[in-house]
Amino acid sequence: MAGHLAGRAVPRGQLRIYLGAAAGVGKTYAMLSEGHRRAERDGDVVIAFAEPHGRQHTAALLDGLEVIARARLAYRGATFEEMDIDAVLAREPQIALVDELAHTNVPGSRNAKRWQDVEELLDAGIDVISAVNIQHLESLNDVVEQITGVPQRETVPDAVVRAADQVELVDMTAEALRRRMAHGNIYPPEKIDAALTNYFRTGNLTALRELALLWLADKVDEGLQKYRAEHDIHATWEARERVVVALTGGPEGDTLIRRAARIAARSSGGDLLAVHVTKSDGLTGANPANLARQRQLVESLGGSYHQVVGDDIAEALLTFAKAENATQLVLGASRRPWLLALLTGPGIGSRTIRDSGPIDVHIVTHAHVGSRWGLLPRYRGGITPRRQIAGYVLAAVLAPLVTVALAHFRSGANLTSDVLVFLVAVIAVALTGGFVPALLEAIAGSLLLNYYFTPPIHQWTIAEANNALALGVFVAVGLVVSWVVDTTARRTKQAARANAESELLATTAGSILRGQGTLDALLDRAREAFGMRSASLLECRQAAEGSPARGPAAEWTVLAAAGERPVRRPDDADVNVPITSSLSLALAGRALPAGDRRVLGAFATYAGVALEQQRLAAEAEAAKPIAAADRMRTALLAAVSHDLRTPLASAKAAVTSLRSPDVRWDAADTEELLATADESLDRLTHLVENLLDMSRLQAGALSLFPRPTGLDEIVARALDNLEPLGRDIDVDIPESVPAVLADPAILERVVVNLIENALRYSPAGKPPLLTASVLGDRVELRVIDRGPGIPEQDKERMFVPFQRLGDTDNTTGVGLGLALSRGLTEAMDGTLTAEDTPGGGLTMTVSLPAAHGD
């Protein structure tokens, strides 16, 4: 084959993949059907490897196509069949059908994976049609294991599937796939029950289907972007609405986000993207607390948050919007007052609208329009006080020294040289002390140059125009250099501070989002970051009804504190940051500048979020026993009112009849009455025991002694207790099932209750089945009957105490067995659920943790 191909360049074959969410959706069927269509169009098609898995409709499609014989390989005393790649290459078909792309070949094969065999076929110019399930993609391996509890050992790199020329989804709803399974169209009958109650659960299949749809949608979008790039298409294609909202970090951001979310929600599948533009020097006037809150709001509305860098904000926004194929852009109306807008020209909104092209731009008004006052930014120097003092001293020393030196060398220098020397002095003062000392040095230098070195000397007049120009240029250059030096120092200081702030806030926010940030740790971090003595989180509680919030009558409680001598009232703190109307962050130690207060506001917000998370978790935990206790009280009242009275009435009626002097009973009647009394008293005893167990279980007083326990031992003891009815039970528990961690006596009682329930509803000739399997780190025991089953809406109600789903006679029990069984199972860290048995009936599944050996 290699010699045959050596003389010509072989174009690479094309790869078509049928992608499915799970086994049984019809991938192999679709692959073979496509092979028949290609063959009908005179294509040279062979089946290199196809696995129908015993499905008759799929196997029927093998007829009519040439099948390449499989290679037989010996491994560890057994013989396995694999695709014979050499035979396929020697056959040189146009199209090869290769099933199970992610399959791992038997050791000794040429390639470790089947997708590597497919690569060889493609390199040889052969078109390949294949199939793969979404759970076999390498990037989704851990996600699928988390969903299903089953690790996937056979995987294929995403790049292989993404590089396919065509990927077609073979889709089927979870309900339809489960019906196919129940009808025996996927697995043989002995595997159906285990499959439906394990991997093929409705939730699992729905999640896998969503993964497949999302992955394919991402590949389609990738293909669209590739096509646009190859054809140099930069215009927006409105395949779906994508709304970009621009955030400045100002207070109007919440309004803009909600407005943009409403626009995106008008169309099905609309995307919401929020973007914040920062300057390339890393400096920003945005409030980090506002941005953090707005990012959380965007994500809560199903959008995504982005941050881009750009000195021209309008250009950066449009570049981002076009790159994301956005259809609409939402901006806030300018906060500049009309006078500032008149003097500084068009703002970001006007320039964005002018250059937006096909992107619709929405200018949204808000409550902060025109709220920014002042025409110029307030001057803030970046030079330390010590350097400024040094600059003043240097200016006072350099001016007379330079004058004396230049006067001494007057004969060898002209005015131009004198100006340059004074300019060097101005630059030296600017580098040392900043703008103001350099300004004074420039003014003093210009006066000294005029008086001592500009003709006429020792007079304040200037005879020549060019000398006046030289002095003017000297002053201007001195001022510019001084301003540049001072601005550089200020920006350097701001950049260092902004970097420190961002690292501090990012670290704190990350710990909060991961649930690692306790209140005490958060407050201690705030105290250390700002050099304070203590930090306290205070909550206001009203001292009297109607007292104003935060008033003198308000009582404050310390929820959490860090440091020495924490304050107990906001009035006693050096810095107090209100979080809500009743919550404050109070710090003691020193007063903080405004810049630190801005960052401290973000810490206060984080503290409020952490407190809310903590309280919600505590409330959820506290509500569980309360709700359970309420249900238990209601159930006990119902039992006392009906179920206790019924067996008592039957027993009393039988005994009263036997004791009646007016009636003489024969031996048969006497025996029947005694049996009725005995049966009723037995039921009453069983009911009272169950009630006591439920009460102890609810009160937490039921003693459990969990230890590794084998299911086969528990089932055997349960069947012995049910003699002679236990002889009619089918048991299929594999030896590979590990032991469970449970209390043997309690688990035996649960199994007995479930078997009794299954026997009660199983038809004649169809005994219940007990089977077990492993799912992740848990073991599932299933009790399966072929009875009438339970309607979907009643599957949870059947576990409520004293519910018999319509039965009111005293012969079917009092409706406490299943409730008690679930309670006992949950006490052992297990679960008890009910599912339909394929083909009719009910399956009760007990899930318990597997016992792991040391």
Side-chain angles (χ1 to χ4, degrees):
M1 180 70 181
H4 179 72
L5 297 175
R8 60 185 178 91
V10 179
R12 180 177 170 86
Q14 293 191 339
L15 175 61
R16 178 170 184 166
I17 296 178
Y18 287 97
L19 177 68
V25 296
K27 302 180 304 298
T28 304
Y29 189 92
M31 180 189 74
L32 295 173
S33 298
E34 179 64 19
H36 278 279
R37 285 192 292 271
R38 298 283 185 95
E40 291 172 359
R41 296 196 295 265
D42 298 328
D44 183 12
V45 182
V46 299
I47 299 177
F49 189 93
E51 184 55 70
H53 294 288
R55 301 161 193 165
Q56 57 181 358
H57 298 295
T58 304
L61 291 176
L62 297 176
D63 298 335
L65 294 176
E66 179 183 349
V67 180
I68 303 296
R70 301 181 182 181
R72 300 175 63 84
L73 300 174
Y75 179 67
R76 292 187 177 180
T79 302
F80 299 87
E81 293 184 345
E82 296 288 0
M83 181 177 71
D84 193 340
I85 186 172
D86 291 323
V88 179
L89 291 172
R91 170 65 175 75
E92 295 188 33
Q94 291 179 344
I95 304 161
L97 309 183
V98 182
D99 204 2
E100 297 183 351
L101 185 63
H103 172 74
T104 301
N105 293 330
V106 174
S109 303
R110 179 190 303 182
N111 298 308
K113 296 285 188 176
R114 183 162 294 162
W115 64 264
Q116 295 172 322
D117 295 337
V118 169
E119 287 293 315
E120 284 198 39
L121 298 179
L122 295 172
D123 291 338
I126 301 173
D127 294 344
V128 175
I129 303 176
S130 188
V132 71
N133 283 331
I134 192 67
Q135 66 263 27
H136 294 301
L137 295 183
E138 182 65 43
S139 65
L140 300 176
N141 186 267
D142 55 342
V143 178
V144 173
E145 182 177 358
Q146 183 179 5
I147 294 172
T148 64
V150 180
Q152 300 295 329
R153 295 180 175 84
E154 293 187 332
T155 60
V156 58
D158 286 47
V160 174
V161 183
R162 287 189 179 277
D165 300 278
Q166 298 180 63
V167 178
E168 183 174 334
L169 181 67
V170 182
D171 191 27
M172 182 176 291
T173 64
E175 293 76 11
L177 186 56
R178 284 175 60 87
R179 284 196 298 271
R180 288 198 65 199
M181 175 73 73
H183 293 159
N185 294 332
I186 301 177
Y187 289 160
E190 63 272 12
K191 294 184 178 180
I192 293 176
D193 292 338
L196 286 175
T197 54
N198 286 279
Y199 194 87
F200 282 78
R201 295 175 177 175
T202 302
N204 290 357
L205 296 177
T206 302
L208 291 174
R209 186 185 182 206
E210 183 179 20
L211 282 178
L213 291 169
L214 290 174
W215 190 93
L216 189 60
D218 183 61
K219 186 179 187 307
V220 171
D221 189 65
E222 179 183 299
L224 176 61
Q225 298 301 331
K226 180 180 178 182
Y227 178 85
R228 284 162 53 87
E230 289 175 351
H231 292 77
D232 198 27
I233 299 174
H234 301 289
T236 299
W237 282 11
E238 298 186 14
R240 57 177 171 175
E241 291 287 355
R242 283 188 172 178
V243 182
V244 174
V245 53
L247 302 179
T248 64
E252 76 281 359
D254 294 10
T255 302
L256 302 183
I257 292 170
R258 293 188 176 94
R259 176 62 173 163
R262 290 195 297 270
I263 295 174
R266 291 173 183 169
S267 63
S268 178
D271 290 338
L272 174 63
L273 301 91
V275 59
H276 173 67
V277 180
T278 59
K279 295 294 184 69
S280 58
D281 56 11
L283 304 178
T284 176
N287 188 322
N290 285 348
L291 285 177
R293 186 186 69 256
Q294 290 163 10
R295 177 173 188 165
Q296 184 178 8
L297 176 59
V298 169
E299 293 174 349
S300 69
L301 294 173
S304 58
Y305 178 87
H306 307 268
Q307 187 163 321
V308 298
V309 177
D311 292 321
D312 188 326
I313 297 179
E315 181 182 355
L317 285 176
L318 290 174
T319 301
F320 174 81
K322 292 175 181 177
E324 295 294 333
N325 199 26
T327 58
Q328 303 192 56
L329 180 60
V330 178
L331 304 176
S334 176
R335 285 181 286 150
R336 299 182 303 162
W338 67 269
L339 182 57
L340 180 58
L342 181 64
L343 295 177
T344 58
I348 296 172
S350 300
R351 289 185 284 124
T352 303
I353 293 174
R354 182 188 62 199
D355 301 330
S356 63
I359 300 176
D360 296 335
V361 179
H362 301 262
I363 303 296
V364 179
T365 187
H366 49 83
H368 305 278
V369 173
S371 61
R372 182 185 297 171
W373 296 99
L375 297 180
L376 295 175
R378 183 169 59 89
Y379 172 76
R380 291 176 295 177
I383 304 298
T384 63
R386 179 176 296 182
R387 285 182 59 184
Q388 289 181 349
I389 294 173
Y392 288 123
V393 173
L394 184 61
V397 172
L398 277 182
L401 283 180
V402 170
T403 303
V404 172
L406 290 177
H408 182 71
F409 297 101
R410 186 187 302 274
S411 60
N414 56 22
L415 181 60
T416 303
S417 302
D418 297 338
V419 170
L420 291 177
V421 173
F422 269 97
L423 183 59
V424 171
V426 172
I427 294 174
V429 172
L431 292 173
T432 303
F435 177 72
V436 177
L439 175 61
L440 297 177
E441 176 72 9
I443 295 174
S446 64
L447 294 175
L448 292 171
L449 282 169
N450 183 16
Y451 189 79
Y452 287 102
F453 304 102
T454 305
I457 298 174
H458 304 303
Q459 294 184 24
W460 296 109
T461 59
I462 302 175
E464 298 181 12
N466 62 335
N467 291 338
L469 177 61
L471 290 178
V473 170
F474 161 73
V475 174
V477 172
L479 293 178
V480 171
V481 171
S482 302
W483 180 261
V484 170
V485 171
D486 190 78
T487 301
T488 302
R490 184 172 67 252
R491 290 298 180 94
T492 302
K493 182 180 179 180
Q494 291 174 346
R497 179 178 180 82
N499 183 60
E501 290 177 357
S502 63
E503 290 183 359
L504 179 64
L505 293 176
T507 303
T508 306
S511 63
I512 294 294
L513 291 174
R514 291 190 297 269
Q516 301 171 348
T518 62
L519 277 175
D520 292 338
L522 181 64
L523 294 178
D524 192 56
R525 180 175 296 178
R527 182 190 62 80
E528 292 179 352
F530 297 99
M532 306 299 282
R533 185 187 76 242
S534 66
S536 307
L537 185 63
L538 306 177
E539 186 175 36
C540 176
R541 295 181 179 176
Q542 305 303 325
E545 188 67 26
S547 299
R550 300 179 177 268
E555 293 182 354
W556 291 87
T557 303
V558 180
L559 300 179
E564 301 178 356
R565 304 188 306 277
V567 298
R568 298 187 174 276
R569 292 182 60 84
D571 296 340
D572 301 331
D574 294 302
V575 180
N576 176 50
V577 182
I579 302 174
T580 65
S581 60
S582 61
L583 203 64
S584 284
L585 177 62
L587 291 88
R590 63 186 178 91
L592 291 180
D596 287 347
R597 287 176 178 268
R598 179 169 55 86
V599 182
L600 186 59
F603 267 94
T605 302
Y606 294 154
V609 172
L611 176 64
E612 185 178 2
Q613 289 178 346
Q614 179 177 305
R615 286 181 168 175
L616 288 175
E619 289 175 2
E621 195 64 29
K624 292 181 181 179
I626 295 175
D630 183 68
R631 290 194 301 268
M632 185 60 192
R633 283 192 295 269
T634 303
L636 286 174
L637 290 174
V640 172
S641 65
H642 176 267
D643 291 316
L644 283 174
R645 186 170 55 211
T646 303
L648 278 174
S650 298
K652 181 173 179 56
V655 173
T656 301
S657 298
L658 289 173
R659 294 187 61 191
S660 174
D662 300 331
V663 181
R664 298 183 61 84
W665 305 96
D666 58 22
D669 292 336
T670 301
E671 182 64 26
E672 183 178 354
L673 289 172
L674 288 173
T676 300
D678 183 63
E679 182 182 351
S680 297
L681 290 174
D682 284 343
R683 286 196 299 270
L684 181 61
T685 301
H686 183 66
L687 172 60
V688 171
E689 289 177 351
N690 283 343
L691 286 171
L692 292 175
D693 283 343
M694 285 292 289
S695 300
R696 286 195 293 267
L697 187 64
Q698 185 64 40
L702 185 66
S703 299
L704 295 174
F705 302 96
R707 60 181 177 84
T709 304
L711 284 182
D712 52 352
E713 175 187 352
I714 295 298
V715 171
R717 284 161 45 185
L719 295 180
D720 289 342
N721 289 337
L722 291 170
E723 285 291 346
L725 297 177
R727 301 172 185 175
D728 297 330
I729 308 298
D730 293 334
V731 179
D732 180 17
I733 299 180
E735 296 181 358
S736 59
V737 173
V740 297
L741 189 62
D743 185 309
I746 298 298
L747 181 57
E748 178 184 343
R749 186 167 182 182
V750 171
V751 174
V752 168
N753 282 344
L754 295 180
I755 294 177
E756 286 180 337
N757 189 72
L759 286 169
R760 185 176 299 120
Y761 296 105
S762 292
K766 293 183 178 181
L769 168 66
L770 268 69
T771 182
S773 63
V774 181
L775 180 62
D777 60 349
R778 302 182 73 83
V779 175
E780 293 187 341
L781 174 67
R782 287 178 292 279
V783 180
I784 305 169
D785 68 59
R786 299 290 179 176
I790 299 294
E792 187 67 31
Q793 65 272 16
D794 292 332
K795 286 182 181 175
E796 281 303 312
R797 192 161 66 90
M798 66 188 293
F799 292 106
V800 177
F802 313 104
Q803 295 290 327
R804 290 192 299 272
L805 302 183
D807 289 337
T808 55
D809 64 275
N810 197 37
T811 63
T812 59
V814 295
L816 195 60
L818 291 180
L820 181 61
S821 297
R822 171 172 275 191
L824 295 175
T825 304
E826 291 176 348
M828 295 184 292
D829 194 23
T831 60
L832 175 60
T833 56
E835 296 180 352
D836 292 332
T837 301
L842 187 67
T843 298
M844 305 295 290
T845 303
V846 179
S847 175
L848 292 167
H852 300 287
D854 295 334

